Amino acid sequence: MRSIILGAAAGLAWSATMRMYMRNLVGDASRVNPRNTIVGIMLPGAITGAMLAHSADLRAADPERNLDRFSASPLVFAACTLPLPGLLRKLIETGEGSNAIATPLFGMAGGMVLAGRGPLWARIAAGTIVAGHIPLLAAMGPKFFMTSPPTGRERVGFAVNTLIYGACMAALAAACSIPLRRGRPVPDGQDQPQP
């Protein structure tokens, strides 16, 4: 139970950091809607963290147990966000809210790569997309999210914000890899989870 609570706290901290990233990305255009922020970002972050922490406990108890379904935990974001009033329509009309789908998928793909699961070609493709979209965002983002031409200070702020996003995505991928790891034999015959 303790690890589930700690996982929920870690997920809450992760989702709060992602909310800060989103706020920094769009600046003054960002509006905090308590319902959308709590139900669409904070709650799924806590649930995802709790589920992935629980998978770590299950993996420790039985290294060979199939826990693949837990790697899909981040899809809770889509399940909580898309039913919110007006968000599905906004997603279809403007693409706003697509991060509720893209971020979990990037995290799950990164988890597959870090755990070494799936065919090599799929891991290479997933790793290229997951790792490659961050420098692409750093290069192309100022054109879409900043005033034209951006000041030097704005560029530095955008670069720092991109680092925050990259760190969040790396943490999500690492967490999603936990349930995908398989045990390995050790000399005494006991199985230990892979690092």
Side-chain angles (χ1 to χ4, degrees):
M1 185 63 163
R2 188 177 121 191
S3 64
I4 292 174
I5 293 170
L6 290 174
L12 192 60
W14 183 90
S15 59
T17 305
M18 279 298 282
R19 180 63 185 100
M20 182 185 73
Y21 159 76
M22 290 184 273
R23 162 65 178 93
N24 292 342
L25 189 63
V26 297
D28 294 336
S30 176
R31 293 180 309 248
V32 175
N33 176 321
R35 180 196 61 217
N36 291 359
T37 297
I38 292 169
V39 176
I41 300 171
M42 309 305 274
L43 177 64
I47 293 170
T48 298
M51 290 172 70
L52 290 170
H54 182 56
S55 77
D57 281 347
L58 295 173
R59 172 69 65 229
D62 183 0
E64 289 303 316
R65 184 171 178 178
N66 185 336
L67 301 172
D68 292 358
R69 67 188 179 280
F70 280 92
S71 68
S73 299
L75 291 176
V76 170
F77 281 95
C80 289
T81 301
L82 296 180
L84 290 171
L87 281 173
L88 191 56
R89 191 183 81 243
K90 275 186 184 177
L91 175 65
I92 293 167
E93 292 174 357
T94 67
E96 186 179 331
S98 58
N99 270 348
I101 300 167
T103 299
L105 293 178
F106 282 150
M108 292 163 54
M112 178 189 79
V113 171
L114 292 176
R117 296 288 300 281
L120 179 61
W121 67 266
R123 293 196 315 268
I124 291 171
T128 302
I129 292 168
V130 171
H133 87 280
I134 296 170
L136 185 64
L137 175 65
M140 300 296 294
K143 187 180 288 187
F144 296 103
F145 296 107
M146 300 173 73
T147 59
S148 185
T151 65
R153 183 177 180 157
E154 288 173 329
R155 284 188 179 279
V156 169
F158 189 86
V160 169
N161 203 41
T162 303
L163 285 174
I164 291 170
Y165 174 74
C168 283
M169 292 310 296
L172 181 60
C176 287
S177 75
I178 294 169
L180 296 175
R181 297 176 190 160
R182 289 289 186 254
R184 64 177 179 212
V186 293
D188 65 0
Q190 297 294 318
D191 283 340
Q192 294 294 328
Q194 292 180 354

